[in-house]
Amino acid sequence: QVQLVESGGGSVQAGGSLRLSCAASGYTYSSYYSMGWFRQAPGEEREGVAAIESDGNTIYADSVKGRFTISKDNANDTLYLQMNSLKPEDSAMYYCAASVYRYCGGRCLVRYEYNYWGQGTQVTVSS
């Protein structure tokens, strides 16, 4: 049973930073597979924010490039999202996702490429 548990969300003022974590369990050799972060604001579609493939290649949505950094601690099966220079429009529920494939190619930010999801952690950025 694969479980993904996010943490690190909270409330912050614009310009601030947060680091989200996603602990994976029951997911053998998580370093072998692609993982990603998605977010969903009320009334909006769930959108891909960042992804990392098994070889460490990273992919970012244009809206977060240069501000967010995705990384993985393979030894501890933990995925991170460092978020800097936060804006009010970054406010959303953030979800961790895991794939059963090593590479996601041009579809790394497409939600249907992922097989497992966490419950989410809320990020609120005030102006």
Side-chain angles (χ1 to χ4, degrees), residues 22-99:
C22 171
S25 61
Y27 190 44
T28 306
Y29 302 120
S30 64
S31 61
Y32 288 359
Y33 305 106
S34 297
M35 297 186 75
W37 287 98
F38 287 72
R39 67 186 181 188
Q40 187 168 18
E44 302 289 331
E45 293 289 319
R46 190 170 298 189
E47 64 172 352
V49 174
I52 185 166
E53 295 180 299
S54 61
D55 62 357
N57 181 49
T58 56
I59 302 94
Y60 296 96
D62 288 343
S63 59
V64 306
K65 278 181 184 176
R67 300 188 298 123
F68 290 12
T69 303
I70 188 171
S71 61
K72 264 199 315 183
D73 178 348
N74 292 327
N76 293 303
D77 291 329
T78 303
L79 182 72
Y80 299 101
L81 184 68
Q82 178 66 45
M83 305 186 295
N84 298 329
S85 302
L86 282 161
K87 304 175 181 180
E89 52 263 43
D90 293 318
S91 296
M93 186 71 79
Y94 281 70
Y95 298 92
C96 170
S99 169

